[in-house]
Amino acid sequence: MSKLQILVVEDDAPVRNLITTTLKAHDYRYITAATGEGAVMEAASHNPDILLLDLGLPDIDGVEVIRRIRSWSNVPIIVISARSEDTDKISALDAGADDYLTKPFSVEELLARLRVTQRRLALMQGSNAQKAVYENGQLRIDYASGCAFLAGEELHLTPIEYKLLCLLAQNTGKVLTHSFITQSIWGSSWDNDVASLRVFMATLRKKLESTPDSPQYIQTHIGIGYRMVKVE
Ligand code: CA
């Protein structure tokens, strides 16, 4: 596999240097931008493989950068935000970001996020999302028959649990926000839909996970949403 090129968008020079030093040490190529306008320009001219995007930029808002880039590109976007910017993080995910890192983050966290994103890229390039059968670890979904199996045994899912499982599966590797999920499943995102979502997620996990308390397939992002993990 040729070296991936990462576009690093960060106005804080020390943080930008930490990121680029890490990328260099781990055999990634990179380009940088320190502003939102710069990010949009670099993304358009270099067509990077992954974007690392700080949300707090001096000119245009990071969420606006995502909206602009998403109008022409599906490049995976990992947003970087401060802990106090949880609502920004959610807006960023809803605008089409794939994942997030919260400042301060460690080099290991950064590399782990990049690995998750690379796996997602590989899935996208293998156009797994378009296939009639989804396979992940012991989980198998046969979209044509509308059935899901775990280790060859059919899972007895309610229609909503099945829809929920398919939505997560089709977005494997990507963090889906509560409001994105409830919009997709119920067409609305009232607070009580989010409460129902928790209930359906709990029953789905009981059927899907051998140890629902430490789930293997569906990760919880507290206050944000859920992600289907690619299981080896
Ligand atoms: Ca910043």
Side-chain angles (χ1 to χ4, degrees), residues 14-210:
V15 179
R16 196 172 59 233
N17 290 340
L18 169 75
I19 296 173
T20 55
T21 306
T22 305
L23 294 178
K24 206 177 196 170
H26 290 84
D27 232 20
Y28 291 101
R29 291 182 299 141
Y30 63 85
I31 38 177
T32 61
T35 62
E37 295 286 359
V40 174
M41 214 182 71
E42 295 293 339
S45 51
H46 292 276
N47 203 15
D49 298 300
I50 299 174
L51 222 87
L52 277 171
L53 173 69
D54 177 33
L55 287 180
L57 294 168
D59 53 347
I60 50 171
D61 183 46
V63 175
E64 177 57 25
V65 173
I66 298 170
R67 286 201 191 99
R68 291 200 198 167
I69 292 176
R70 275 288 173 263
S71 67
W72 85 85
S73 166
N74 282 322
V75 58
I77 301 175
I78 304 171
V79 298
I80 302 172
S81 71
R83 206 162 290 279
S84 57
E85 300 166 333
D86 252 2
T87 51
D88 297 357
K89 209 179 292 177
I90 292 171
S91 319
L93 291 164
D94 279 333
D98 292 74
D99 205 348
Y100 60 90
L101 268 167
T102 305
K103 283 180 185 171
F105 54 85
S106 67
V107 163
E108 287 70 29
E109 279 177 283
L110 169 62
L111 292 170
R113 288 298 184 285
L114 286 172
R115 282 194 299 271
V116 167
T117 306
Q118 267 173 270
R119 281 200 287 270
R120 177 165 165 67
L121 262 179
L123 279 178
M124 281 159 60
Q125 281 157 359
S127 71
N128 217 350
Q130 307 305 319
K131 284 184 182 159
V133 174
Y134 171 85
E135 283 178 297
N136 183 8
Q138 303 266 49
L139 171 64
R140 186 166 176 276
I141 305 172
D142 183 335
Y143 294 122
S145 65
C147 298
F149 304 85
L150 190 68
E153 294 281 314
E154 186 175 351
L155 293 171
H156 298 285
L157 303 177
T158 65
I160 286 183
E161 288 164 0
Y162 178 73
K163 248 174 122 172
L164 197 51
L165 181 66
C166 291
L167 181 68
L168 288 157
Q170 279 149 8
N171 291 282
T172 298
K174 189 168 152 76
V175 178
L176 303 182
T177 65
H178 294 133
S179 70
F180 176 85
I181 298 173
T182 55
Q183 281 286 352
S184 307
I185 292 185
W186 290 287
S188 62
S189 57
W190 299 104
D191 287 347
N192 57 349
D193 294 326
V194 175
S196 314
L197 172 60
R198 289 210 176 85
V199 175
F200 285 111
M201 192 59 82
T203 59
L204 171 60
R205 274 180 166 154
K206 264 186 208 144
K207 298 174 185 178
L208 176 67
E209 306 278 4
S210 48

